[in-house]
Amino acid sequence: MLSSARLTRLAIEKTLKPAIATRNVSSQSFDDKNYQFKTLHVSSPRNFVLHVELNRPEKLNAMTNEMWHEMISCFNSAASDSSVRAVVLSGRGKVFTAGLDLMAAAGSLVTDPDLDTARNAYRFLDFIRFAQESISVVEKCRKPVIAAVHNACIGGGVDLSTACDIRICTKDAYFCVKEVDVGLAADIGTLQRLPKVIGNDSLARELCFTARKMEAPEAEKVGLVSRVYENQDEMIASAIEMAETIASKSPVAVQGTKIHLNYSRDHTTTEGLEYMATWNAAMLQTEDILKSVQAMMTKQPMSKVEFSKL
């Protein structure tokens, strides 16, 4: 007589075989033509992994309107690209980013003497919302994003890194909420995300009021980053390996997990559970569960499982 475990395995295999035969299983078809930018360098170092690099090294990767436009385009493309399941975000050159390029942004930050206060306010409102979207697009992207930070992460760099799902850094990295030193309150995400990321309102306020540097050991201690590496090469290699591991999992499961972690962070536990129940009423019907369970039962590495595109 067959054991119950054996019967379960046979039932799963019987159910799974037609699913594999009739579905469009995964295969990478990364098209770099969709990711041609001036201020970003985009590549696919591993299957289903996208590597986005801030690419103004001669200007310390300082952020401009053009970079913000390209960030929006890049991450919107990644969100809908079935050949992307995880993203690594880093900076080329000496630093991750020096933050806002003040010289490039000067025209957007000066009032127009021919306009009254209300009309100038609307101009600034449009500019601020555009800048905010260039950061929030990372958080809204359904694919997990790993920020790999080396050396300086200043101003807008903190906005950007806190919008990512996972943050790692090199031992020479430091984080600085610099905005008060240039006469303004940070307005594109740090004040909203940093206190939630580190879970310490007092420390978040200290950093934002003083503009002091938080170096890598402290950043790891308070949970701003989860790992610290000796150098940039080691960090990037680890980030890509982590992204590859994430990309090997069911995209239905991973993307759903990100969506609900973000939702639950901003809602009550009861609201989060209700949304989760409604969501999984549909998602529990995915073939990915059968494939994942079969892989575990047969001791097959998850990296060998072919999940359909999403």
Side-chain angles (χ1 to χ4, degrees):
M1 181 178 293
L2 294 174
S3 66
S4 59
R6 176 60 176 162
L7 287 170
T8 301
R9 180 178 298 178
L10 289 172
I12 290 172
E13 290 175 349
K14 182 178 180 181
T15 304
L16 185 59
K17 286 177 181 178
I20 293 177
T22 58
R23 299 297 197 280
N24 173 27
V25 296
S26 65
S27 61
Q28 188 190 32
S29 57
F30 173 73
D31 186 355
D32 61 3
K33 293 179 182 178
N34 297 327
Y35 298 95
Q36 296 295 318
F37 304 109
K38 292 183 179 179
T39 68
L40 305 175
H41 181 269
V42 183
S43 60
S44 181
R46 302 283 177 85
N47 203 26
F48 297 110
V49 173
L50 198 69
H51 187 189
V52 179
E53 298 173 272
L54 306 182
N55 191 29
R56 297 186 74 224
E58 73 288 352
K59 297 293 185 181
L60 303 180
N61 294 325
M63 298 175 173
T64 62
N65 286 6
E66 183 178 29
M67 181 181 285
W68 286 339
H69 274 294
E70 294 187 344
M71 285 286 292
I72 293 170
S73 177
C74 179
F75 279 90
N76 280 335
S77 294
S80 60
D81 188 343
S82 61
S83 71
V84 176
R85 293 182 180 172
V87 182
V88 174
L89 175 62
S90 66
R92 285 191 158 188
K94 295 180 179 179
V95 306
F96 178 67
T97 178
L100 178 66
D101 188 324
L102 291 172
M103 294 299 293
S108 301
L109 298 173
V110 176
T111 57
D112 185 338
D114 295 327
L115 298 178
D116 66 11
T117 301
R119 285 162 178 80
N120 271 307
Y122 273 109
R123 284 181 60 244
F124 287 156
L125 181 64
D126 289 341
F127 173 71
I128 295 167
R129 284 180 172 169
F130 157 63
Q132 289 176 342
E133 180 58 21
S134 75
I135 302 299
S136 294
V137 71
V138 176
E139 184 178 76
K140 293 175 183 177
C141 178
R142 299 195 309 269
K143 320 300 171 65
V145 182
I146 302 166
V149 176
H150 74 287
N151 205 280
C153 180
I154 299 171
V158 180
D159 295 304
L160 182 57
S161 63
T162 54
C164 295
D165 299 283
I166 298 168
R167 286 159 299 281
I168 59 178
C169 73
T170 55
K171 67 178 184 179
D172 68 346
Y174 66 89
F175 301 82
C176 179
V177 186
K178 191 69 172 173
E179 282 80 357
V180 294
D181 278 350
V182 292
L184 58 93
D187 57 2
I188 57 176
T190 289
L191 303 186
Q192 292 69 39
R193 296 186 178 99
L194 181 62
K196 295 175 182 177
V197 167
I198 65 176
N200 185 327
D201 184 71
S202 176
L203 178 58
R205 289 170 186 259
E206 176 195 333
L207 294 168
C208 295
F209 292 154
T210 66
R212 76 166 176 85
K213 294 180 180 179
M214 173 186 276
E215 297 184 349
E218 184 182 5
E220 183 180 29
K221 180 180 178 181
V222 303
L224 179 57
V225 299
S226 51
R227 301 186 191 185
V228 177
Y229 296 86
E230 281 295 314
N231 55 62
Q232 187 179 9
D233 289 342
E234 180 184 333
M235 175 185 65
I236 295 298
S238 180
I240 290 172
E241 182 180 355
M242 189 187 304
E244 185 178 35
T245 298
I246 293 169
S248 74
K249 313 295 184 183
S250 159
V252 174
V254 171
Q255 293 177 38
T257 296
K258 173 168 180 173
I259 288 167
H260 286 276
L261 283 171
N262 287 350
Y263 183 90
S264 293
R265 177 198 61 198
D266 300 329
H267 295 78
T268 66
T269 300
T270 300
E271 290 169 332
L273 287 169
E274 184 61 30
Y275 186 28
M276 187 78 253
T278 304
W279 181 275
N280 262 5
M283 297 304 166
L284 287 176
Q285 301 175 63
T286 177
E287 67 186 37
D288 291 15
I289 294 176
L290 296 173
K291 292 182 179 182
S292 299
V293 171
Q294 186 190 48
M296 287 190 293
M297 293 178 66
T298 59
K299 295 181 169 47
Q300 180 184 14
M302 203 62 65
S303 60
K304 302 297 184 183
V305 181
E306 289 192 330
F307 294 105
S308 300
K309 287 186 173 182
L310 179 63

